[in-house]
Amino acid sequence: MGALVKGQNGALAAARVVVSVRTEAAVDVSALLVTEAGVVRSDQDFVFFNQPSAPGVMLQAGAPGALAVSFDEVPAEIAQLRAVITLGDPTESFVRYGAPVATVADASGNVLYEYRIDGLDSESVVIALELYRRGAEWKVRAVGQGYAGGFAALVTDHGVRVDDADESAQTQPQPAPTEPQIRTVPGEAALSFEKREKLDLRKRAVAKVLLDKNALGVRARVVLVIDKTGSMLKQYRTKVVHRVVQRMVPVAIQLDDNGALEAYLYALSFAKLPDITVEHSDAWAQTFLHLGGTHGGIDYDRIGGRNDELPIMRDIMDSLRPGAGPTLILFFTDGGFAKKREIAALMREASHLPAFWQFIGLGKANYGVLRSLDEMTDRIVDNAGFFALDDIDRVDDAELYARLLSEFPDWIKAATAAGVLR
C-alpha cells in the first residue's frame, strides 16, 4: 500500500478501482467527471446519491458509499475524475472530526493507496482525490482541498446546473456575517489544484479586507493599468509584472460581476488589451506582456518610451458614465507623471465620475504629483490613493490587499453621499 501526502501522485495499473473514505463524520461521496477544461460535458457527468452512475463510474450503496471506477468505460473526453466528500450537515465543518482517510483499492479489495486528509478546518466540502489520465495510463493525486464556495459553488463551477442536480446544493446556508464571503467564477475549475489553493488564499485575504471595511458584497468594474516604459524593462524581464497580474486577479473575482480584469498597457501611448480571466491569466501574461511589432491592430513597439499618463487616463474617463456603478482603477507605474498641472486638473474633473484611482508605485522612483494626491483641493470627493513599494515581492498578500483596498470603500461612501454614485 502506498501512503500519499497532499499533492503526491501514484500510478494506477488496475483496470478497475474503488475509491472510498473512512471518517467519523456523516458524509456523502460524489464524483465529477471533467474534461481538460475542468468542467463536465453535461449534468450526466455528476455522480451523487440522486444520480448514482455515469459512464465508467458507479456510486456503491452504503454509508458513506464508495465510487467503483472502470477505466475502460470512461469516455475519452473525460480527463479527470474528482472524488468529493461533503458533510451531511453543512453547518458543521471537518475541524470537529478526525481527519478523513481516502483510499483507492483494486477490484479484489487490496488497498493501493491511502491518503489521510490532514489540516482541514472550516471546510464542509473537500475534493479528496483526483484520478486522471497521463497518456494511455491513469494516475491518482492526493488533493485534500476544501472548496471555499461550498457544495453549490463546487458543482456549478464544474458546469453542473444545480437546479437539475442535488437539492441540497441549493440549500447550503449562507456564511455568517463575520465570515468573509468568498466568490468563485467558473474559470477557476480549469486551474490545477496547486494554483486553485493559492488563489483561494488570496481571495480570502481580499475578502478579509472588505469585511473589515464593511464592504462585503460590493460590486465594481475593475481596471488594471500597467506601465510599459523602458525603465520598467527589468520588472518585465524578472516577471515582477507577471506576478502583479496574478495578484490582481483575486481582486477582480471578489469585486467584478464576471471576475475579469480590464487591462491596459501604457507609456507614450496606450493599448486596450483583452480582459484577463482567471483561467487564462498565465497565458495572458506570457503573451501580452512581451509582444513586439503589430498584433491585432496594436503596434506594441509604439507603446514604449517615456510616460504620458494623460491619454490613458482620458480614455478611461471617457468610458465612465455619471451615476453608473463604481469602478476601481489599479494603476501600476514606476514614476514619471511630469505634467503635474494637467494631471491635477484631470483628477479634479474625474472626481465627478464614478471611479476610484488607486496608484501603486513599483520600485524606487520619483512619483511627482502622485505623492500629493491627498492634498489636492477642489474635488467633489477624494477619488485617488497612492502608495509605493520598493519591492512588491517582499509584501505579503494580506498587507498588499490591505493597502490596495484601504481607501476604496471610504470613497464609495463619500461618492454615494455626494451623488457621484447612485
Side-chain angles (χ1 to χ4, degrees):
M1 179 189 72
L4 299 175
V5 297
K6 188 171 185 176
Q8 189 177 9
N9 59 55
L12 291 171
R16 296 175 180 269
V17 299
V18 176
V19 177
S20 59
V21 61
R22 301 194 311 271
T23 174
E24 300 170 3
V27 299
D28 292 319
V29 176
S30 56
L32 291 153
L33 286 68
V34 301
T35 65
E36 286 286 0
V39 295
V40 299
R41 301 169 302 171
S42 74
D43 292 354
Q44 301 305 307
D45 289 336
F46 176 34
V47 175
F48 67 117
F49 61 83
N50 275 346
Q51 184 172 273
S53 66
V57 182
M58 173 73 72
L59 179 61
Q60 296 180 337
L67 299 165
V69 180
S70 176
F71 293 123
D72 292 341
E73 299 174 28
V74 176
E77 306 97 301
I78 298 301
Q80 302 149 11
L81 311 177
R82 295 177 179 173
V84 180
I85 57 174
T86 307
L87 284 171
D89 183 351
T91 65
E92 294 186 340
S93 60
F94 279 103
V95 74
R96 294 187 55 187
Y97 303 96
V101 177
T103 63
V104 181
D106 64 20
S108 299
N110 301 309
V111 176
L112 306 174
Y113 296 100
E114 187 171 274
Y115 169 40
R116 180 182 174 86
I117 310 174
D118 290 311
L120 297 179
D121 188 7
S122 61
E123 299 91 343
S124 62
V125 54
V126 175
I127 300 175
L129 295 169
E130 180 183 61
L131 310 182
Y132 63 100
R133 294 183 192 269
R134 200 47 97 230
E137 307 299 324
W138 283 87
K139 302 185 76 173
V140 59
R141 179 184 290 117
V143 179
Q145 180 189 327
Y147 209 84
F151 187 74
L154 179 141
V155 296
T156 54
D157 284 359
H158 285 81
V160 177
R161 295 167 298 170
V162 295
D163 55 337
D164 290 336
D166 183 5
E167 247 180 51
S168 68
Q170 303 176 60
T171 58
Q172 297 291 307
Q174 294 300 310
T178 57
E179 180 183 345
Q181 294 174 295
I182 314 299
R183 295 186 73 222
T184 60
V185 293
E188 294 179 38
L191 300 178
S192 70
F193 287 110
E194 291 78 10
K195 289 181 179 179
R196 183 65 185 263
E197 191 168 35
K198 180 177 287 186
L199 177 66
D200 280 345
L201 291 173
R202 285 175 170 169
K203 289 194 300 180
R204 287 182 181 276
V206 172
K208 177 65 165 57
V209 176
L210 295 174
L211 175 67
D212 291 345
K213 299 290 289 186
N214 295 314
L216 272 180
V218 166
R219 294 291 169 264
R221 171 189 174 200
V222 183
V223 178
L224 176 65
V225 181
I226 308 175
D227 190 333
K228 186 65 171 173
T229 53
S231 57
M232 284 281 293
L233 180 60
K234 183 178 179 181
Q235 309 267 29
Y236 281 86
R237 188 174 61 246
T238 58
K239 295 194 173 182
V240 171
V241 180
H242 291 65
R243 295 188 287 277
V244 166
V245 169
Q246 292 299 333
R247 296 174 81 176
M248 294 306 103
V249 166
V251 178
I253 291 175
Q254 193 64 35
L255 290 175
D256 196 281
D257 280 338
N258 66 3
L261 279 167
E262 296 182 38
Y264 289 83
L265 295 180
Y266 94 97
L268 186 59
S269 63
F270 68 90
K272 174 76 167 65
L273 302 177
D275 291 354
I276 306 169
T277 59
V278 62
E279 69 270 35
H280 297 129
S281 57
D282 280 340
W284 188 97
Q286 293 293 343
T287 301
F288 292 103
L289 295 182
H290 298 287
L291 285 177
T294 301
H295 302 271
I298 299 171
D299 186 347
Y300 287 85
D301 293 333
R302 294 192 62 183
I303 295 175
R306 60 180 177 82
N307 297 61
D308 188 353
E309 291 78 19
L310 296 176
I312 175 64
M313 294 175 69
R314 172 59 68 185
D315 189 77
I316 293 173
M317 287 171 59
D318 288 345
S319 73
L320 302 170
R321 296 292 177 266
T327 292
L328 173 61
I329 301 157
L330 305 172
F331 203 114
F332 286 83
T333 178
D334 75 340
F337 287 73
K339 299 180 179 179
K340 298 180 180 180
R341 182 179 302 175
E342 294 90 337
I343 290 171
L346 208 62
M347 292 307 300
R348 293 187 178 99
E349 180 185 347
S351 71
H352 294 266
L353 296 171
F356 184 80
W357 301 72
Q358 181 61 63
F359 295 96
I360 304 98
L362 293 177
K364 301 175 182 179
N366 176 18
Y367 297 105
V369 70
L370 294 182
R371 293 196 179 277
S372 58
L373 284 173
D374 287 339
E375 303 166 13
M376 194 177 295
T377 59
D378 300 325
R379 288 179 292 170
I380 186 171
V381 291
D382 181 352
N383 61 334
F386 170 74
F387 63 91
L389 300 169
D390 289 346
D391 184 351
I392 194 170
D393 287 332
R394 290 180 173 269
V395 179
D396 65 25
D397 291 326
E399 180 182 349
L400 177 62
Y401 296 136
R403 299 183 72 177
L404 199 75
L405 298 168
S406 64
E407 296 185 59
F408 178 57
D410 298 330
W411 168 81
I412 288 178
K413 295 174 186 176
T416 302
V420 175
L421 287 174
R422 294 183 178 87

